[in-house]
Structure formats: structure tokens, C-alpha cells
Amino acid sequence: MKKGVNAWIYPRSFSVDSILEASARLGFDGVELNVDEEAFSPERLSKRDRGEIANTAASLGLELPSLCSGLFWKYNLGSADETLRENGIELGKECCRLASDLGAKVVLVVPAVATPTVPYEEMWALARASVQEIGSAAEDAGVTVGVENVWNRFLYSPLEFRQFLRDVNRESVKAYFDVGN
């Protein structure tokens, strides 16, 4: 069994290098890094930066199995606001490319955050279309989208989750099961 950690356990002031060094020192096998709009943003990380991060992780004996982002709460893939949704889709696509560059295999995606202003059926359709588009980018990047239902009031039951994945109908889109949630 391998033990991994999400980078959110560390103080916000930690750099990616500090996160990797601390994780290796603590005996973890892998680290799930978190995409944000600041230091660890796909837009701000050059190919060289991405290679350096991957090399640092490898030199410490760490895997980078997956990426996640809290930004899917801000850029809701099930939002009726087209601009928010498009920003979320672009975020998902950029995360797929970043994951590929880092050698990560999975990008965690929160498919929608339910709100009282969007009927559930409409949110389902918007989220499905959004995840299908991100799934296409995942196929191009050679990674998998891991759909997670975490505190977002969407996809509550296993049967509903299965139906959503069937509706998305992309080989690159799977369920992401986080035992910590």
C-alpha cells in the first residue's frame, strides 16, 4: 500500500518544493498538488517549471499521482452563468495538460456545486456537457478525469453517480473516491 497526501495539509506559505520535501521527510509516497490562481497556476508554470517540479518529486522518491483544485467551487461546471462555466472548463483543460507535464495520471474535478438558483436537471445537463469537454482534453493529454462529489450537494447516491458517468460517456472520465471525505 502506498501513502499519499494532499498538499492542503501544509501551511499556505509552503512552496511546492517545501511541500515535496516535507512529504518525503514524513514518509509519504506521493503528493496530490493543488492548482490555484497564484503560485501553482497552469498559466504561470512554464514547461521548464513543470519539468523541474516533476524532477524534484522524482529525486525525493515521490509520485505525483493526481492534481486537484478548489477553483471548481468558484468556476462551477454546473452553473447557469456561461462565463463561470467556461472558466471552469478551461481550468479543467489546463489541469489536464499540467497533469500530463508532471506525470500525474488523474485530475480531480468537482462536476457541479448545487445551488438553489439552478434546477437540478439543468445543472446535471450543464455539468455533463462541461465534464465531457474536459474529458476530451484529458484524452488528448493522456490523463483521467476523476469526478468527485465532495460537499457539493450533487451526485449523492452511487446509482446517481453511476448514471452521471454513463451520461458523460467518456473513457477518460471515472469516479474519484476519496476515503478522507
Side-chain angles (χ1 to χ4, degrees), residues 59-80:
S59 74
L60 294 167
L62 291 171
E63 294 178 32
L64 300 174
S66 56
L67 295 179
C68 73
S69 180
L71 294 174
F72 288 110
W73 292 82
K74 180 178 180 181
Y75 303 117
N76 185 352
L77 297 172
S79 174

Side-chain angles (χ1 to χ4, degrees), residues 46-114:
S46 68
K47 280 278 197 186
R48 182 175 177 212
D49 295 334
R50 295 168 187 214
E52 288 176 6
I53 292 167
N55 289 338
T56 298
S59 74
L60 294 167
L62 291 171
E63 294 178 32
L64 300 174
S66 56
L67 295 179
C68 73
S69 180
L71 294 174
F72 288 110
W73 292 82
K74 180 178 180 181
Y75 303 117
N76 185 352
L77 297 172
S79 174
D81 181 322
E82 187 174 348
T83 301
L84 282 180
R85 202 171 56 258
E86 287 297 324
N87 286 337
I89 291 168
E90 189 55 36
L91 168 68
K93 291 176 177 180
E94 287 294 328
C95 286
C96 290
R97 290 186 279 272
L98 175 58
S100 180
D101 290 343
L102 294 174
K105 301 291 185 217
V106 177
V107 174
L108 186 156
V109 170
V110 175
V113 179

